[in-house]
Amino acid sequence: MSDPLYLEDFFVGQRFEAGGFSLDAEQIKGFATQYDPQPFHTDEEAAKDSFFGGLAASGWQVACLTMKQMIEAGPKVAGGQIGAGGEIRWPRPTRPGDVLAVSCEVLEVKPSRSKPVLCFVTLRTETKNQNGETVYVFTCQMLTFRRPG
Amino acid sequence: MSDPLYLEDFFVGQRFEAGGFSLDAEQIKGFATQYDPQPFHTDEEAAKDSFFGGLAASGWQVACLTMKQMIEAGPKVAGGQIGAGGEIRWPRPTRPGDVLAVSCEVLEVKPSRSKPVLCFVTLRTETKNQNGETVYVFTCQMLTFRRPG
């Protein structure tokens, strides 16, 4: 286990790799049935006639599996990875058989004057497929804490 | 079943209610174990010493269950609800026992000149708890299609 990261440990341009995951048709359909039950996520045949032209993963599944990777293999943030919000994009669909890689980069470090203990780091998390194409970007305002003492 | 909504059917200020859902501690811990395994989402005791001061749902769980409501009880969009991305915020934690209500409002309707068939509607989806407090806001660029013919 590496030491947890406090505000003082982050700097602009800092990068972290966070491993990856793959998705097959059964996983795509299983998640979508629970959380995003639309034909292009749950039914190969119906998906052919949709905007996606074939089965595609719910963007929320990509977001959730990316989050899991960030926790299990990404930066060890003191106090945990707590996002207040941010900008989310799915530039490209994720398909059955895709192998995804997760990484993130620090875009901004913002010490707070009003709440000196509690600060924000802007972290851009990006998930790319096996062709190096970006399928998901989450630019998040992440809570960070000053190192105590 | 209501008729599916095309670009021409949307207007700024249009609102849709999309029902609601509730969350208990077991559901919170179950989801987090799969997708956001952090102590404040998976362990009541450990959560007491965290930023949240007690068990809180993963923001992604709130996003996913909100999506499910939007599909099952929200606007019937022609071609499906397909989001290209947007701004996401979790202004407040969601707690065990919370009862959430989902609604959405059209903020902008943007016909496209370059791709006349394919347009975007800016849709703000909001999830509030039983006290009327907003726990989740997703302001999304949603694909919409012109009515054929």
Short mmCIF file of all heavy atoms in Angstrom, two decimals, chain A residues 31 34-38 40 51-52 60 63-65 67-68 71 79-90 118 136 138 143 145, chain B residues 31 34-38 40 51-52 60 63-65 67-68 71 79-90 118 136 138 143 145:
data_model
loop_
_atom_site.label_atom_id
_atom_site.label_comp_id
_atom_site.label_asym_id
_atom_site.label_seq_id
_atom_site.Cartn_x
_atom_site.Cartn_y
_atom_site.Cartn_z
N PHE A 31 -26.13 -5.38 -17.04
CA PHE A 31 -26.13 -4.06 -16.41
C PHE A 31 -27.31 -3.23 -16.92
O PHE A 31 -28.04 -2.61 -16.14
CB PHE A 31 -24.81 -3.33 -16.70
CG PHE A 31 -24.71 -1.98 -16.05
CD1 PHE A 31 -24.04 -1.83 -14.83
CD2 PHE A 31 -25.27 -0.85 -16.62
CE1 PHE A 31 -23.94 -0.59 -14.22
CE2 PHE A 31 -25.18 0.40 -16.02
CZ PHE A 31 -24.51 0.52 -14.82
N GLN A 34 -30.71 -3.81 -15.53
CA GLN A 34 -30.91 -3.24 -14.19
C GLN A 34 -31.05 -1.73 -14.19
O GLN A 34 -31.81 -1.18 -13.40
CB GLN A 34 -29.71 -3.59 -13.30
CG GLN A 34 -29.83 -4.91 -12.54
CD GLN A 34 -28.75 -4.99 -11.49
OE1 GLN A 34 -27.58 -5.23 -11.83
NE2 GLN A 34 -29.11 -4.79 -10.22
N TYR A 35 -30.26 -1.04 -15.03
CA TYR A 35 -30.13 0.40 -14.85
C TYR A 35 -30.42 1.26 -16.08
O TYR A 35 -30.62 2.47 -15.95
CB TYR A 35 -28.71 0.73 -14.36
CG TYR A 35 -28.36 0.11 -13.04
CD1 TYR A 35 -27.38 -0.87 -12.94
CD2 TYR A 35 -29.05 0.49 -11.88
CE1 TYR A 35 -27.06 -1.45 -11.71
CE2 TYR A 35 -28.74 -0.09 -10.66
CZ TYR A 35 -27.75 -1.05 -10.58
OH TYR A 35 -27.45 -1.63 -9.37
N ASP A 36 -30.39 0.67 -17.25
CA ASP A 36 -30.54 1.48 -18.47
C ASP A 36 -31.22 0.61 -19.53
O ASP A 36 -30.65 0.31 -20.58
CB ASP A 36 -29.16 1.95 -18.94
CG ASP A 36 -29.21 3.04 -20.01
OD1 ASP A 36 -30.31 3.32 -20.53
OD2 ASP A 36 -28.14 3.58 -20.34
N PRO A 37 -32.47 0.18 -19.23
CA PRO A 37 -33.13 -0.82 -20.08
C PRO A 37 -33.63 -0.26 -21.39
O PRO A 37 -34.81 0.02 -21.56
CB PRO A 37 -34.27 -1.32 -19.19
CG PRO A 37 -34.57 -0.19 -18.26
CD PRO A 37 -33.28 0.55 -18.05
N GLN A 38 -32.72 -0.11 -22.34
CA GLN A 38 -33.07 0.35 -23.68
C GLN A 38 -32.57 -0.70 -24.67
O GLN A 38 -31.51 -1.32 -24.46
CB GLN A 38 -32.41 1.70 -23.97
CG GLN A 38 -32.77 2.77 -22.94
CD GLN A 38 -32.46 4.17 -23.46
OE1 GLN A 38 -33.22 4.74 -24.24
NE2 GLN A 38 -31.35 4.74 -23.00
N PHE A 40 -31.00 -0.92 -27.43
CA PHE A 40 -29.63 -0.94 -27.98
C PHE A 40 -28.60 -1.38 -26.94
O PHE A 40 -27.43 -1.60 -27.27
CB PHE A 40 -29.25 0.39 -28.62
CG PHE A 40 -29.76 1.61 -27.89
CD1 PHE A 40 -29.21 1.98 -26.68
CD2 PHE A 40 -30.78 2.38 -28.43
CE1 PHE A 40 -29.66 3.11 -26.01
CE2 PHE A 40 -31.25 3.52 -27.77
CZ PHE A 40 -30.70 3.88 -26.55
N PHE A 51 -29.55 3.94 -33.40
CA PHE A 51 -28.47 4.89 -33.64
C PHE A 51 -27.10 4.22 -33.57
O PHE A 51 -26.19 4.55 -34.32
CB PHE A 51 -28.56 6.01 -32.60
CG PHE A 51 -27.39 6.95 -32.59
CD1 PHE A 51 -27.26 7.91 -33.57
CD2 PHE A 51 -26.43 6.87 -31.58
CE1 PHE A 51 -26.17 8.80 -33.57
CE2 PHE A 51 -25.34 7.74 -31.57
CZ PHE A 51 -25.21 8.70 -32.57
N PHE A 52 -26.94 3.26 -32.64
CA PHE A 52 -25.64 2.64 -32.42
C PHE A 52 -25.29 1.58 -33.49
O PHE A 52 -24.14 1.19 -33.62
CB PHE A 52 -25.59 1.99 -31.03
CG PHE A 52 -25.63 2.99 -29.90
CD1 PHE A 52 -26.76 3.14 -29.11
CD2 PHE A 52 -24.52 3.78 -29.63
CE1 PHE A 52 -26.79 4.07 -28.07
CE2 PHE A 52 -24.54 4.71 -28.59
CZ PHE A 52 -25.69 4.85 -27.81
N TRP A 60 -23.39 4.52 -18.45
CA TRP A 60 -23.28 4.44 -16.99
C TRP A 60 -22.49 3.22 -16.56
O TRP A 60 -21.83 3.23 -15.52
CB TRP A 60 -24.68 4.46 -16.36
CG TRP A 60 -25.40 5.73 -16.70
CD1 TRP A 60 -26.48 5.87 -17.52
CD2 TRP A 60 -25.05 7.06 -16.27
NE1 TRP A 60 -26.82 7.19 -17.62
CE2 TRP A 60 -25.98 7.94 -16.86
CE3 TRP A 60 -24.06 7.58 -15.44
CZ2 TRP A 60 -25.93 9.33 -16.64
CZ3 TRP A 60 -24.01 8.96 -15.23
CH2 TRP A 60 -24.94 9.81 -15.84
N ALA A 63 -18.98 4.26 -16.89
CA ALA A 63 -18.65 5.15 -15.76
C ALA A 63 -18.42 4.36 -14.48
O ALA A 63 -17.46 4.60 -13.74
CB ALA A 63 -19.79 6.17 -15.57
N CYS A 64 -19.29 3.38 -14.22
CA CYS A 64 -19.19 2.61 -12.97
C CYS A 64 -17.95 1.72 -12.96
O CYS A 64 -17.26 1.61 -11.93
CB CYS A 64 -20.44 1.76 -12.78
SG CYS A 64 -21.89 2.72 -12.32
N LEU A 65 -17.66 1.07 -14.07
CA LEU A 65 -16.50 0.19 -14.11
C LEU A 65 -15.21 1.01 -14.09
O LEU A 65 -14.18 0.56 -13.55
CB LEU A 65 -16.57 -0.73 -15.33
CG LEU A 65 -17.70 -1.76 -15.23
CD1 LEU A 65 -17.87 -2.51 -16.55
CD2 LEU A 65 -17.43 -2.76 -14.09
N MET A 67 -14.97 3.82 -12.41
CA MET A 67 -14.87 4.18 -10.99
C MET A 67 -14.24 3.04 -10.20
O MET A 67 -13.35 3.25 -9.37
CB MET A 67 -16.26 4.49 -10.44
CG MET A 67 -16.25 4.97 -9.00
SD MET A 67 -15.55 6.65 -8.85
CE MET A 67 -15.15 6.72 -7.11
N LYS A 68 -14.70 1.82 -10.47
CA LYS A 68 -14.14 0.66 -9.76
C LYS A 68 -12.63 0.56 -9.97
O LYS A 68 -11.87 0.33 -9.03
CB LYS A 68 -14.83 -0.61 -10.25
CG LYS A 68 -14.43 -1.84 -9.47
CD LYS A 68 -14.98 -3.09 -10.13
CE LYS A 68 -14.68 -4.31 -9.28
NZ LYS A 68 -14.86 -5.56 -10.04
N ILE A 71 -10.76 3.14 -7.96
CA ILE A 71 -10.63 2.81 -6.54
C ILE A 71 -9.62 1.69 -6.34
O ILE A 71 -8.77 1.75 -5.45
CB ILE A 71 -12.00 2.39 -5.95
CG1 ILE A 71 -13.01 3.53 -6.07
CG2 ILE A 71 -11.86 1.93 -4.51
CD1 ILE A 71 -12.57 4.82 -5.43
N GLY A 79 -8.76 10.03 2.62
CA GLY A 79 -10.18 10.33 2.80
C GLY A 79 -11.07 9.72 1.74
O GLY A 79 -12.29 9.80 1.83
N GLY A 80 -10.45 9.13 0.70
CA GLY A 80 -11.23 8.49 -0.35
C GLY A 80 -11.40 9.36 -1.57
O GLY A 80 -11.06 10.55 -1.56
N GLN A 81 -11.86 8.76 -2.64
CA GLN A 81 -12.15 9.52 -3.86
C GLN A 81 -13.59 10.00 -3.78
O GLN A 81 -14.53 9.23 -3.96
CB GLN A 81 -11.93 8.65 -5.10
CG GLN A 81 -10.47 8.36 -5.39
CD GLN A 81 -10.27 7.56 -6.67
OE1 GLN A 81 -11.03 7.70 -7.62
NE2 GLN A 81 -9.25 6.72 -6.70
N ILE A 82 -13.76 11.28 -3.52
CA ILE A 82 -15.08 11.88 -3.36
C ILE A 82 -15.22 12.99 -4.39
O ILE A 82 -14.52 14.00 -4.33
CB ILE A 82 -15.26 12.44 -1.93
CG1 ILE A 82 -15.05 11.33 -0.90
CG2 ILE A 82 -16.64 13.08 -1.79
CD1 ILE A 82 -15.07 11.82 0.55
N GLY A 83 -16.11 12.78 -5.34
CA GLY A 83 -16.32 13.78 -6.39
C GLY A 83 -17.54 14.62 -6.10
O GLY A 83 -18.60 14.09 -5.75
N ALA A 84 -17.41 15.92 -6.24
CA ALA A 84 -18.57 16.81 -6.07
C ALA A 84 -19.37 16.91 -7.36
O ALA A 84 -20.55 17.23 -7.34
CB ALA A 84 -18.10 18.19 -5.63
N GLY A 85 -18.69 16.62 -8.45
CA GLY A 85 -19.35 16.71 -9.75
C GLY A 85 -18.34 17.03 -10.82
O GLY A 85 -17.13 17.07 -10.54
N GLY A 86 -18.81 17.21 -12.04
CA GLY A 86 -17.89 17.52 -13.11
C GLY A 86 -18.54 17.34 -14.47
O GLY A 86 -19.77 17.28 -14.57
N GLU A 87 -17.69 17.27 -15.48
CA GLU A 87 -18.18 17.13 -16.84
C GLU A 87 -17.95 15.69 -17.31
O GLU A 87 -16.86 15.13 -17.11
CB GLU A 87 -17.42 18.11 -17.76
CG GLU A 87 -18.13 18.36 -19.06
CD GLU A 87 -17.21 18.36 -20.26
OE1 GLU A 87 -15.98 18.30 -20.13
OE2 GLU A 87 -17.76 18.39 -21.37
N ILE A 88 -18.97 15.12 -17.91
CA ILE A 88 -18.89 13.72 -18.33
C ILE A 88 -19.16 13.65 -19.83
O ILE A 88 -20.00 14.40 -20.34
CB ILE A 88 -19.90 12.89 -17.49
CG1 ILE A 88 -19.67 11.41 -17.57
CG2 ILE A 88 -21.33 13.24 -17.82
CD1 ILE A 88 -20.41 10.63 -16.48
N ARG A 89 -18.40 12.82 -20.53
CA ARG A 89 -18.60 12.68 -21.98
C ARG A 89 -18.38 11.23 -22.39
O ARG A 89 -17.53 10.54 -21.84
CB ARG A 89 -17.60 13.55 -22.76
CG ARG A 89 -17.89 15.02 -22.68
CD ARG A 89 -17.05 15.80 -23.69
NE ARG A 89 -15.61 15.62 -23.47
CZ ARG A 89 -14.76 15.10 -24.36
NH1 ARG A 89 -15.18 14.70 -25.55
NH2 ARG A 89 -13.47 14.99 -24.06
N TRP A 90 -19.17 10.82 -23.35
CA TRP A 90 -19.00 9.51 -23.96
C TRP A 90 -18.81 9.74 -25.47
O TRP A 90 -19.79 9.72 -26.24
CB TRP A 90 -20.23 8.64 -23.74
CG TRP A 90 -20.51 8.31 -22.31
CD1 TRP A 90 -19.95 7.29 -21.59
CD2 TRP A 90 -21.46 8.94 -21.41
NE1 TRP A 90 -20.48 7.27 -20.30
CE2 TRP A 90 -21.40 8.26 -20.18
CE3 TRP A 90 -22.34 10.02 -21.54
CZ2 TRP A 90 -22.19 8.62 -19.08
CZ3 TRP A 90 -23.11 10.38 -20.45
CH2 TRP A 90 -23.04 9.69 -19.24
N LEU A 118 -10.30 21.71 3.43
CA LEU A 118 -11.00 21.00 2.36
C LEU A 118 -10.73 21.71 1.03
O LEU A 118 -11.07 22.88 0.88
CB LEU A 118 -12.50 21.04 2.67
CG LEU A 118 -13.40 20.13 1.90
CD1 LEU A 118 -13.11 18.68 2.25
CD2 LEU A 118 -14.84 20.47 2.25
N TYR A 136 -14.75 7.43 -22.87
CA TYR A 136 -15.32 8.05 -21.67
C TYR A 136 -14.32 9.03 -21.09
O TYR A 136 -13.13 8.72 -20.99
CB TYR A 136 -15.61 6.94 -20.64
CG TYR A 136 -16.04 7.41 -19.27
CD1 TYR A 136 -17.27 8.00 -19.07
CD2 TYR A 136 -15.22 7.22 -18.15
CE1 TYR A 136 -17.68 8.41 -17.80
CE2 TYR A 136 -15.61 7.62 -16.88
CZ TYR A 136 -16.84 8.22 -16.72
OH TYR A 136 -17.24 8.62 -15.47
N PHE A 138 -14.24 11.82 -17.75
CA PHE A 138 -14.92 12.44 -16.61
C PHE A 138 -13.94 13.43 -15.98
O PHE A 138 -12.91 13.03 -15.44
CB PHE A 138 -15.34 11.37 -15.60
CG PHE A 138 -16.08 11.92 -14.40
CD1 PHE A 138 -17.03 12.93 -14.53
CD2 PHE A 138 -15.84 11.41 -13.13
CE1 PHE A 138 -17.71 13.42 -13.43
CE2 PHE A 138 -16.52 11.90 -12.02
CZ PHE A 138 -17.45 12.91 -12.17
N LEU A 143 -12.70 16.16 -3.98
CA LEU A 143 -12.33 16.66 -2.65
C LEU A 143 -10.96 16.14 -2.25
O LEU A 143 -10.65 14.96 -2.44
CB LEU A 143 -13.32 16.12 -1.61
CG LEU A 143 -14.63 16.87 -1.45
CD1 LEU A 143 -15.55 16.08 -0.53
CD2 LEU A 143 -14.35 18.23 -0.85
N PHE A 145 -7.86 16.73 1.02
CA PHE A 145 -7.61 17.29 2.35
C PHE A 145 -6.15 17.69 2.49
O PHE A 145 -5.27 17.03 1.92
CB PHE A 145 -7.97 16.25 3.42
CG PHE A 145 -9.41 15.86 3.40
CD1 PHE A 145 -9.85 14.80 2.61
CD2 PHE A 145 -10.35 16.58 4.12
CE1 PHE A 145 -11.20 14.44 2.56
CE2 PHE A 145 -11.69 16.23 4.08
CZ PHE A 145 -12.11 15.17 3.31
N PHE B 31 -24.33 -2.21 -4.21
CA PHE B 31 -23.87 -1.50 -5.40
C PHE B 31 -22.41 -1.09 -5.25
O PHE B 31 -21.58 -1.29 -6.14
CB PHE B 31 -24.73 -0.27 -5.66
CG PHE B 31 -24.36 0.49 -6.91
CD1 PHE B 31 -25.04 0.27 -8.10
CD2 PHE B 31 -23.33 1.42 -6.89
CE1 PHE B 31 -24.69 0.96 -9.25
CE2 PHE B 31 -22.98 2.12 -8.04
CZ PHE B 31 -23.66 1.89 -9.22
N GLN B 34 -19.72 -3.59 -5.78
CA GLN B 34 -19.45 -3.89 -7.18
C GLN B 34 -18.72 -2.77 -7.92
O GLN B 34 -17.89 -3.04 -8.78
CB GLN B 34 -20.78 -4.12 -7.92
CG GLN B 34 -21.27 -5.55 -7.91
CD GLN B 34 -22.43 -5.70 -8.89
OE1 GLN B 34 -23.54 -5.26 -8.61
NE2 GLN B 34 -22.16 -6.31 -10.03
N TYR B 35 -19.07 -1.51 -7.63
CA TYR B 35 -18.63 -0.44 -8.52
C TYR B 35 -17.88 0.71 -7.85
O TYR B 35 -17.24 1.50 -8.54
CB TYR B 35 -19.84 0.15 -9.26
CG TYR B 35 -20.55 -0.85 -10.12
CD1 TYR B 35 -21.85 -1.27 -9.84
CD2 TYR B 35 -19.91 -1.40 -11.24
CE1 TYR B 35 -22.50 -2.19 -10.65
CE2 TYR B 35 -20.55 -2.32 -12.04
CZ TYR B 35 -21.84 -2.72 -11.74
OH TYR B 35 -22.48 -3.63 -12.54
N ASP B 36 -18.00 0.84 -6.55
CA ASP B 36 -17.39 2.00 -5.88
C ASP B 36 -17.01 1.59 -4.45
O ASP B 36 -17.55 2.11 -3.47
CB ASP B 36 -18.41 3.16 -5.87
CG ASP B 36 -17.80 4.50 -5.47
OD1 ASP B 36 -16.63 4.52 -5.03
OD2 ASP B 36 -18.52 5.52 -5.57
N PRO B 37 -16.09 0.61 -4.37
CA PRO B 37 -15.81 -0.01 -3.07
C PRO B 37 -14.97 0.87 -2.15
O PRO B 37 -13.76 0.68 -2.01
CB PRO B 37 -15.07 -1.31 -3.46
CG PRO B 37 -14.43 -1.01 -4.77
CD PRO B 37 -15.34 -0.02 -5.47
N GLN B 38 -15.63 1.82 -1.51
CA GLN B 38 -14.99 2.70 -0.54
C GLN B 38 -15.74 2.56 0.79
O GLN B 38 -16.97 2.40 0.79
CB GLN B 38 -15.01 4.14 -1.02
CG GLN B 38 -14.36 4.33 -2.40
CD GLN B 38 -14.01 5.77 -2.70
OE1 GLN B 38 -13.02 6.29 -2.21
NE2 GLN B 38 -14.81 6.42 -3.52
N PHE B 40 -16.94 4.41 3.10
CA PHE B 40 -18.14 5.20 3.42
C PHE B 40 -19.37 4.76 2.62
O PHE B 40 -20.47 5.22 2.89
CB PHE B 40 -17.89 6.71 3.26
CG PHE B 40 -17.02 7.08 2.08
CD1 PHE B 40 -17.50 6.98 0.79
CD2 PHE B 40 -15.72 7.53 2.28
CE1 PHE B 40 -16.70 7.32 -0.30
CE2 PHE B 40 -14.91 7.88 1.20
CZ PHE B 40 -15.40 7.78 -0.09
N PHE B 51 -15.65 11.65 5.65
CA PHE B 51 -16.21 12.95 5.28
C PHE B 51 -17.74 12.95 5.38
O PHE B 51 -18.35 13.95 5.77
CB PHE B 51 -15.79 13.27 3.84
CG PHE B 51 -16.47 14.46 3.25
CD1 PHE B 51 -16.10 15.75 3.61
CD2 PHE B 51 -17.49 14.30 2.32
CE1 PHE B 51 -16.73 16.85 3.05
CE2 PHE B 51 -18.13 15.41 1.76
CZ PHE B 51 -17.75 16.68 2.12
N PHE B 52 -18.36 11.83 5.06
CA PHE B 52 -19.83 11.76 5.03
C PHE B 52 -20.44 11.61 6.43
O PHE B 52 -21.64 11.83 6.60
CB PHE B 52 -20.28 10.60 4.14
CG PHE B 52 -19.98 10.79 2.68
CD1 PHE B 52 -18.98 10.07 2.04
CD2 PHE B 52 -20.69 11.72 1.93
CE1 PHE B 52 -18.70 10.25 0.70
CE2 PHE B 52 -20.42 11.92 0.58
CZ PHE B 52 -19.41 11.17 -0.04
N TRP B 60 -22.69 7.22 -8.20
CA TRP B 60 -22.97 6.48 -9.44
C TRP B 60 -24.24 5.64 -9.30
O TRP B 60 -24.94 5.40 -10.28
CB TRP B 60 -21.76 5.62 -9.82
CG TRP B 60 -20.56 6.48 -10.07
CD1 TRP B 60 -19.44 6.56 -9.30
CD2 TRP B 60 -20.38 7.42 -11.13
NE1 TRP B 60 -18.57 7.49 -9.83
CE2 TRP B 60 -19.12 8.02 -10.95
CE3 TRP B 60 -21.16 7.81 -12.22
CZ2 TRP B 60 -18.63 9.01 -11.82
CZ3 TRP B 60 -20.67 8.78 -13.09
CH2 TRP B 60 -19.42 9.37 -12.88
N ALA B 63 -26.96 8.01 -9.91
CA ALA B 63 -27.02 8.28 -11.36
C ALA B 63 -27.70 7.12 -12.09
O ALA B 63 -28.56 7.34 -12.96
CB ALA B 63 -25.61 8.50 -11.90
N CYS B 64 -27.33 5.90 -11.75
CA CYS B 64 -27.87 4.73 -12.45
C CYS B 64 -29.36 4.53 -12.16
O CYS B 64 -30.14 4.22 -13.07
CB CYS B 64 -27.10 3.47 -12.04
SG CYS B 64 -25.44 3.40 -12.75
N LEU B 65 -29.75 4.71 -10.91
CA LEU B 65 -31.17 4.52 -10.58
C LEU B 65 -32.02 5.66 -11.14
O LEU B 65 -33.18 5.46 -11.51
CB LEU B 65 -31.34 4.38 -9.06
CG LEU B 65 -30.75 3.07 -8.51
CD1 LEU B 65 -30.75 3.09 -6.98
CD2 LEU B 65 -31.52 1.85 -9.03
N MET B 67 -31.28 7.08 -14.00
CA MET B 67 -31.38 6.70 -15.42
C MET B 67 -32.51 5.69 -15.61
O MET B 67 -33.32 5.82 -16.53
CB MET B 67 -30.05 6.10 -15.89
CG MET B 67 -30.02 5.75 -17.36
SD MET B 67 -30.02 7.25 -18.39
CE MET B 67 -30.53 6.60 -19.98
N LYS B 68 -32.55 4.69 -14.72
CA LYS B 68 -33.60 3.68 -14.83
C LYS B 68 -34.99 4.33 -14.76
O LYS B 68 -35.89 3.98 -15.55
CB LYS B 68 -33.44 2.66 -13.70
CG LYS B 68 -34.38 1.50 -13.80
CD LYS B 68 -34.32 0.64 -12.55
CE LYS B 68 -35.15 -0.61 -12.73
NZ LYS B 68 -35.42 -1.25 -11.44
N ILE B 71 -35.88 6.05 -17.97
CA ILE B 71 -36.29 5.15 -19.06
C ILE B 71 -37.68 4.60 -18.79
O ILE B 71 -38.52 4.54 -19.68
CB ILE B 71 -35.28 3.99 -19.20
CG1 ILE B 71 -33.89 4.52 -19.56
CG2 ILE B 71 -35.76 2.97 -20.23
CD1 ILE B 71 -33.85 5.37 -20.78
N GLY B 79 -36.10 6.94 -30.73
CA GLY B 79 -34.72 6.49 -30.88
C GLY B 79 -34.04 6.20 -29.56
O GLY B 79 -32.91 5.72 -29.53
N GLY B 80 -34.71 6.51 -28.46
CA GLY B 80 -34.15 6.22 -27.14
C GLY B 80 -33.52 7.44 -26.50
O GLY B 80 -33.33 8.48 -27.14
N GLN B 81 -33.21 7.32 -25.24
CA GLN B 81 -32.52 8.40 -24.52
C GLN B 81 -31.02 8.15 -24.65
O GLN B 81 -30.45 7.27 -24.01
CB GLN B 81 -32.92 8.42 -23.04
CG GLN B 81 -34.33 8.94 -22.80
CD GLN B 81 -34.67 9.03 -21.32
OE1 GLN B 81 -33.81 9.27 -20.49
NE2 GLN B 81 -35.93 8.81 -20.99
N ILE B 82 -30.39 8.95 -25.50
CA ILE B 82 -28.96 8.79 -25.79
C ILE B 82 -28.27 10.09 -25.43
O ILE B 82 -28.50 11.13 -26.06
CB ILE B 82 -28.72 8.44 -27.28
CG1 ILE B 82 -29.48 7.16 -27.64
CG2 ILE B 82 -27.23 8.30 -27.55
CD1 ILE B 82 -29.41 6.80 -29.12
N GLY B 83 -27.44 10.05 -24.41
CA GLY B 83 -26.73 11.24 -23.97
C GLY B 83 -25.31 11.26 -24.50
O GLY B 83 -24.60 10.25 -24.41
N ALA B 84 -24.90 12.38 -25.05
CA ALA B 84 -23.51 12.51 -25.51
C ALA B 84 -22.59 12.90 -24.36
O ALA B 84 -21.39 12.66 -24.38
CB ALA B 84 -23.42 13.56 -26.60
N GLY B 85 -23.18 13.50 -23.34
CA GLY B 85 -22.40 13.94 -22.18
C GLY B 85 -23.09 15.12 -21.54
O GLY B 85 -24.18 15.51 -21.95
N GLY B 86 -22.44 15.67 -20.52
CA GLY B 86 -23.03 16.81 -19.85
C GLY B 86 -22.36 17.07 -18.52
O GLY B 86 -21.27 16.58 -18.25
N GLU B 87 -23.06 17.87 -17.71
CA GLU B 87 -22.52 18.23 -16.41
C GLU B 87 -23.26 17.45 -15.33
O GLU B 87 -24.49 17.36 -15.35
CB GLU B 87 -22.72 19.74 -16.17
CG GLU B 87 -21.79 20.30 -15.12
CD GLU B 87 -22.50 21.26 -14.17
OE1 GLU B 87 -23.66 21.64 -14.40
OE2 GLU B 87 -21.87 21.60 -13.15
N ILE B 88 -22.50 16.89 -14.41
CA ILE B 88 -23.08 16.05 -13.37
C ILE B 88 -22.69 16.64 -12.02
O ILE B 88 -21.58 17.13 -11.84
CB ILE B 88 -22.58 14.59 -13.57
CG1 ILE B 88 -23.37 13.57 -12.79
CG2 ILE B 88 -21.10 14.45 -13.28
CD1 ILE B 88 -23.11 12.13 -13.25
N ARG B 89 -23.63 16.65 -11.08
CA ARG B 89 -23.33 17.17 -9.74
C ARG B 89 -24.08 16.35 -8.70
O ARG B 89 -25.20 15.91 -8.93
CB ARG B 89 -23.79 18.64 -9.60
CG ARG B 89 -22.95 19.62 -10.35
CD ARG B 89 -23.30 21.06 -9.97
NE ARG B 89 -24.69 21.39 -10.23
CZ ARG B 89 -25.57 21.78 -9.31
NH1 ARG B 89 -25.22 21.87 -8.03
NH2 ARG B 89 -26.82 22.08 -9.65
N TRP B 90 -23.42 16.19 -7.58
CA TRP B 90 -24.04 15.55 -6.42
C TRP B 90 -23.95 16.54 -5.26
O TRP B 90 -22.99 16.52 -4.49
CB TRP B 90 -23.30 14.27 -6.04
CG TRP B 90 -23.32 13.19 -7.08
CD1 TRP B 90 -24.32 12.27 -7.27
CD2 TRP B 90 -22.31 12.86 -8.05
NE1 TRP B 90 -23.99 11.42 -8.30
CE2 TRP B 90 -22.77 11.76 -8.80
CE3 TRP B 90 -21.06 13.41 -8.38
CZ2 TRP B 90 -22.04 11.18 -9.84
CZ3 TRP B 90 -20.34 12.85 -9.41
CH2 TRP B 90 -20.81 11.75 -10.11
N LEU B 118 -30.12 14.92 -37.02
CA LEU B 118 -29.65 14.62 -35.68
C LEU B 118 -29.45 15.93 -34.92
O LEU B 118 -28.67 16.77 -35.33
CB LEU B 118 -28.31 13.89 -35.80
CG LEU B 118 -27.76 13.22 -34.58
CD1 LEU B 118 -28.65 12.07 -34.19
CD2 LEU B 118 -26.35 12.72 -34.88
N TYR B 136 -28.85 15.13 -6.80
CA TYR B 136 -28.23 14.77 -8.08
C TYR B 136 -28.80 15.65 -9.18
O TYR B 136 -30.02 15.85 -9.25
CB TYR B 136 -28.53 13.30 -8.39
CG TYR B 136 -28.11 12.81 -9.76
CD1 TYR B 136 -26.76 12.65 -10.07
CD2 TYR B 136 -29.04 12.46 -10.73
CE1 TYR B 136 -26.37 12.18 -11.31
CE2 TYR B 136 -28.66 11.98 -11.97
CZ TYR B 136 -27.32 11.84 -12.25
OH TYR B 136 -26.93 11.37 -13.48
N PHE B 138 -28.12 16.17 -13.45
CA PHE B 138 -27.39 15.82 -14.66
C PHE B 138 -27.96 16.67 -15.79
O PHE B 138 -29.12 16.52 -16.19
CB PHE B 138 -27.55 14.33 -14.96
CG PHE B 138 -26.80 13.86 -16.18
CD1 PHE B 138 -25.52 14.32 -16.45
CD2 PHE B 138 -27.35 12.94 -17.04
CE1 PHE B 138 -24.81 13.89 -17.56
CE2 PHE B 138 -26.66 12.49 -18.16
CZ PHE B 138 -25.39 12.97 -18.42
N LEU B 143 -29.33 13.34 -27.63
CA LEU B 143 -29.61 13.22 -29.06
C LEU B 143 -31.11 13.18 -29.31
O LEU B 143 -31.84 12.49 -28.60
CB LEU B 143 -29.04 11.91 -29.59
CG LEU B 143 -27.57 11.87 -29.93
CD1 LEU B 143 -27.15 10.44 -30.23
CD2 LEU B 143 -27.32 12.74 -31.15
N PHE B 145 -34.05 13.26 -32.76
CA PHE B 145 -34.20 13.14 -34.20
C PHE B 145 -35.39 13.96 -34.66
O PHE B 145 -36.39 14.07 -33.95
CB PHE B 145 -34.42 11.66 -34.58
CG PHE B 145 -33.27 10.79 -34.20
CD1 PHE B 145 -33.21 10.18 -32.95
CD2 PHE B 145 -32.22 10.60 -35.09
CE1 PHE B 145 -32.12 9.39 -32.59
CE2 PHE B 145 -31.13 9.81 -34.74
CZ PHE B 145 -31.09 9.21 -33.49
#
